[in-house]
Amino acid sequence: MSAAETVRETPADVVARLRATFRTGRTRDLAWRTGQLTRLRALLTECGDELAEALRADLGKSRKEAYRTEIDFTVREIDHTLERLEAWLEPEPAPVPAVLAGATAHTVQDPLGVVLVIAPWNYPVQLLLAPVVGALAAGNAVVAKPSELAPATSAAVARLLPRYLDTDAVAVVEGAVPETTALLAERFDHVFYTGNGTVGRIVMAAAAKHLTPVTLELGGKSPAFVDRGTDLRTVAARLVSGKFLNAGQTCVAPDYVLTDPETAPALEEALAAAVEGRFGQDPSTSPEYGRIVNERHFDRLVGLLDSGRTVTGGAHDRREKYIAPTVLADVAPDSPVMREEIFGPVLPVVTVDGLDEAIGFINDRDKPLALYAFTHDSSVRERLLTETSSGGVGIGLPLAHLTVSDLPFGGVGESGMGNYHGRYSLETFSHRKAVLDTPLG
């Protein structure tokens, strides 16, 4: 079946067709799973430049960034899974009580069935295909819904996936709100959504009608605490690298910085120097600096630029959807830039009296997807780990925890529910079934 024919199917037709395939048992076979993953890997390696060009068209991503954060990232996830999948699928024995002497117990990983993966626009290759890796590894049929806000990437994925994967078990449905709404009206066995909390609530409400479990990968305002006495040049370079990747349009980007009033001026100076060191005197000419996805997000972000004193940046061009890497100082906790997830190239620096106030500041707000700490003090690390709640913690380096396939990635509270990557993806897209075998005589 061609991609064009797949598009003409209704969501109900797509789900019914994939469910019929799943019921044949073909997707349960280990060879089918590894074959699909191998084919997906081939797509990424053989068509990487085509995907990179689509990412450039949608987000102004450089080829280097497209490969590093999306294409190669997903290839590594596939390789990690292929190497370990057979071992992960081994039945896990469980002890039985004495009253059941002679019986044996174990658990097995059961595929769920037909799952839906809804991707966002900011990393439209990685955040669509990395969950698909887990869904295929678990032996499911998959409906992949790319983001319409990254139209070039959506079209490329819709064109390429049917060329490489089993079209009876994997389908791509393109479209906007009407198509997504129609998909969510169908009964799936799991829905995996990456995006914002507003849509996450819609997804969860739709899934509840079918008692369908959901994974919600959301976002939030991920804080970075900079302790006094740290090497601010190193801290600033790492903050700039993490914050302004993809022009700040990263769910785990440092959203704001907390530090004390004595450290703030030197940190601000170091951040300005780090921005220039990474992107040059005019970041608009840097091949490694992207663009805002569309005018609506551009206008929203420009509205946040007056929330404090501009340390560096502030320049913007609506026609080019360009906003310079911007650092704001003297930012009040209730300013516009602190009332919403920024999701763009604006980094506010907020001063607090010390660690106690920083912890209180974090805990007074929704639980973030990530928390970052820059400190040499082990007691500061321990207090941040034990006295705050977040999806993950990065000490000394933002974003990097995503690259560790043996770490779960996911949020808590407003920043999401459930997790994935590596074995955790297999667990998310499987049911751990209990088996007790008692002899009859």
Side-chain angles (χ1 to χ4, degrees):
M1 181 173 293
S2 71
E5 288 171 329
T6 302
V7 169
R8 283 198 294 269
E9 289 180 294
T10 68
D13 291 337
V14 171
V15 174
R17 181 168 59 78
L18 268 56
R19 194 169 299 284
T21 301
F22 178 76
R23 286 175 176 165
T24 67
R26 141 168 148 210
T27 66
R28 292 175 174 268
D29 186 67
L30 177 61
W32 182 90
R33 304 184 197 197
T34 57
Q36 292 302 294
L37 293 177
T38 302
R39 294 293 294 158
L40 185 56
R41 189 188 195 282
L43 184 161
L44 291 163
T45 55
E46 294 169 10
C47 305
D49 286 354
E50 189 174 341
L51 292 170
E53 181 55 32
L55 291 165
R56 186 204 60 75
D58 287 330
L59 290 151
K61 290 193 185 189
S62 69
R63 184 179 185 278
K64 178 181 175 183
E65 183 177 322
Y67 270 89
R68 180 165 60 94
T69 66
E70 305 230 34
I71 299 161
D72 289 346
F73 182 103
T74 311
V75 168
R76 287 195 305 273
E77 183 74 6
I78 292 170
D79 289 344
H80 181 86
T81 302
L82 282 171
E83 185 179 338
R84 296 163 177 80
L85 182 56
E86 187 170 7
W88 289 344
L89 292 172
E90 283 293 316
E92 215 168 278
V96 296
V99 70
L100 292 173
T104 59
H106 66 275
T107 61
V108 293
Q109 299 273 31
D110 245 8
L112 295 174
V114 181
V115 303
L116 171 63
V117 175
I118 305 175
W121 51 262
N122 59 325
Y123 290 87
V125 171
Q126 180 211 136
L127 295 178
L128 179 71
L129 297 185
V132 167
V133 169
L136 293 172
N140 297 290
V142 187
V143 176
K145 169 61 181 68
S147 173
E148 73 280 7
L149 297 182
T153 308
S154 178
V157 168
R159 183 171 62 254
L160 294 171
L161 271 184
R163 288 189 203 167
Y164 283 83
L165 300 187
D166 182 347
T167 55
D168 291 328
V170 182
V172 180
V173 175
E174 288 193 280
V177 173
E179 289 78 13
T180 305
T181 302
L183 276 174
L184 288 171
E186 298 301 314
R187 181 179 71 81
F188 287 92
D189 298 288
H190 195 94
V191 177
F192 189 106
Y193 168 77
T194 304
N196 62 64
T198 300
V199 179
R201 286 171 167 80
I202 295 169
V203 169
M204 196 170 181
K209 294 176 183 176
H210 303 289
L211 293 181
T212 297
V214 299
T215 300
L216 300 179
E217 295 290 343
L218 308 178
K221 296 185 74 63
S222 295
F225 175 73
V226 178
D227 203 4
R228 55 174 59 93
T230 55
D231 177 355
L232 295 182
R233 184 176 177 182
T234 298
V235 170
R238 293 182 181 182
L239 279 171
V240 164
S241 177
K243 173 64 179 183
F244 299 115
L245 179 72
N246 197 26
Q249 299 165 120
T250 304
C251 58
V252 287
D255 191 274
Y256 62 95
V257 176
L258 294 173
T259 195
D260 61 88
E262 293 74 29
T263 303
L267 177 60
E268 292 157 18
E269 185 177 321
L271 286 167
V275 168
E276 183 172 341
R278 185 166 184 83
F279 301 111
Q281 290 188 341
D282 182 3
S284 70
T285 64
S286 169
E288 295 303 317
Y289 187 66
R291 297 297 183 262
I292 307 306
V293 66
N294 57 34
E295 288 81 2
R296 181 169 66 87
H297 283 282
F298 175 91
D299 292 341
R300 178 185 64 82
L301 288 164
V302 169
L304 304 178
L305 294 176
D306 293 330
S307 295
R309 171 173 55 83
T310 302
V311 174
T312 188
H316 50 87
D317 181 340
R318 193 174 194 270
R319 186 175 60 85
E320 295 292 327
K321 298 194 288 289
Y322 165 77
I323 299 177
T326 299
V327 177
L328 299 179
D330 305 330
V331 175
D334 61 349
S335 63
V337 78
M338 293 301 295
R339 293 182 202 150
E340 61 181 77
E341 182 181 7
I342 297 167
F343 219 69
V346 184
L347 182 63
V349 178
V350 179
T351 56
V352 289
D353 284 341
L355 182 61
D356 287 344
E357 189 174 331
I359 289 171
F361 191 98
I362 294 164
N363 289 337
D364 283 344
R365 287 153 178 81
D366 291 332
K367 296 178 181 180
L369 186 54
L371 182 148
Y372 301 115
F374 297 88
T375 180
H376 298 295
D377 191 329
S378 60
S379 66
V380 171
R381 298 182 192 188
E382 186 61 24
R383 286 195 62 194
L384 285 168
L385 282 172
T386 58
E387 296 179 32
T388 67
S389 177
S390 59
V393 174
I395 298 171
L397 185 63
L399 274 62
H401 60 293
L402 271 75
T403 67
V404 182
S405 292
D406 286 317
L407 284 178
F409 175 67
V412 60
E414 282 288 322
S415 57
M417 62 178 68
N419 52 51
Y420 72 121
H421 286 176
R423 182 164 192 161
Y424 299 98
S425 292
L426 180 71
E427 297 276 355
T428 287
F429 289 107
S430 301
H431 166 63
R432 185 170 284 280
K433 185 162 66 178
V435 181
L436 178 69
D437 187 348
T438 308
L440 289 173

